[in-house]
Amino acid sequence: MASTFSFDVVSDFDRQELVNTVDQAIREISSRYDLKDTKTTVELGEEVITVNTDSEFTLEAIHTILRTKAAKRNLSQKIFEYGKVESASGNRVRQEIKLKKGISQEIAKKITKLIRDEFKKVQGSIQGDAVRVSSSSKDDLQGVMQRLKQEDLPVALQFTNYR
């Protein structure tokens, strides 16, 4: 009985939850008294959210709304990467918020090094933008999951394909 168990460490988010988050944010922006006349637009693209509003003050309020709506829908704050604020036509400001998906090579190397150093009977291998973790003991794998949850990495981690 030399079977091995494994799971994948990925960084992803539920697209439908993000769509719902942006819809709720737009609804709140259009109904809030302090944001009603700002002619704010929030557009969700494939990999970016574009916010166009009248001042940096209202931009901060929109960030807060997006963050709270995302938190209520169990989306990590780490998926948002705020770009620089640009000035747009008509004394307005525009900002692109990139949506982070996937684990970069340097973070994947950091994860595999952590696994190698702390768990002797567990193997970690980089596979594209995910990390496959395998071991002959399910307990070791669960220990790795707990340890990775404690680590403060700049990406949101999920554990999939547990077998």
Side-chain angles (χ1 to χ4, degrees):
M1 190 185 120
S3 63
T4 61
F5 304 100
S6 67
F7 68 89
D8 293 337
V9 180
V10 296
S11 179
D12 202 356
F13 56 87
D14 187 351
R15 179 77 183 175
Q16 187 57 49
E17 290 295 338
L18 184 68
V19 168
N20 293 342
T21 297
V22 172
D23 286 345
Q24 284 182 341
I26 291 169
R27 214 172 298 131
E28 183 171 331
I29 290 166
S30 66
S31 66
R32 265 182 52 174
Y33 179 75
D34 59 337
L35 300 175
K36 198 179 277 188
D37 296 329
T38 59
K39 295 183 179 67
T40 299
T41 60
V42 179
E43 298 169 7
L44 175 62
E46 277 302 308
E47 298 175 359
V48 72
I49 298 172
T50 306
V51 179
N52 191 334
T53 189
D54 66 348
S55 70
E56 289 191 36
F57 177 74
T58 56
L59 189 63
E60 286 301 317
I62 291 162
H63 287 181
T64 305
I65 292 170
L66 273 173
R67 280 193 220 106
T68 55
K69 298 297 181 190
K72 286 181 182 174
R73 295 197 157 271
N74 293 327
L75 290 173
S76 173
Q77 304 298 314
K78 295 178 180 180
I79 65 170
F80 300 122
E81 184 177 305
Y82 298 96
K84 68 181 184 78
V85 179
E86 306 166 349
S87 58
S89 60
N91 286 339
R92 297 177 64 79
V93 293
R94 178 185 315 122
Q95 184 179 37
E96 288 192 346
I97 304 170
K98 287 191 174 76
L99 302 170
K100 290 197 278 187
K101 203 173 202 177
I103 299 175
S104 66
Q105 285 295 318
E106 60 265 8
I107 294 173
K109 287 177 183 175
K110 187 175 180 180
I111 290 171
T112 54
K113 182 178 182 333
L114 180 109
I115 292 169
R116 225 177 316 123
D117 293 346
E118 295 187 21
F119 300 91
K120 301 300 179 204
K121 296 180 180 177
V122 180
Q123 295 80 39
S125 61
I126 301 172
Q127 299 186 336
D129 60 354
V131 176
R132 168 81 39 94
V133 181
S134 56
S135 173
S136 58
S137 165
K138 285 185 179 181
D139 292 339
D140 288 344
L141 291 181
Q142 289 177 340
V144 170
M145 283 183 190
Q146 292 303 318
R147 179 64 181 95
L148 288 176
K149 286 178 185 175
Q150 294 169 359
E151 194 69 19
D152 186 31
L153 296 169
V155 293
L157 296 181
Q158 290 84 31
F159 307 110
T160 60
N161 293 339
Y162 189 80
R163 10 186 150 142

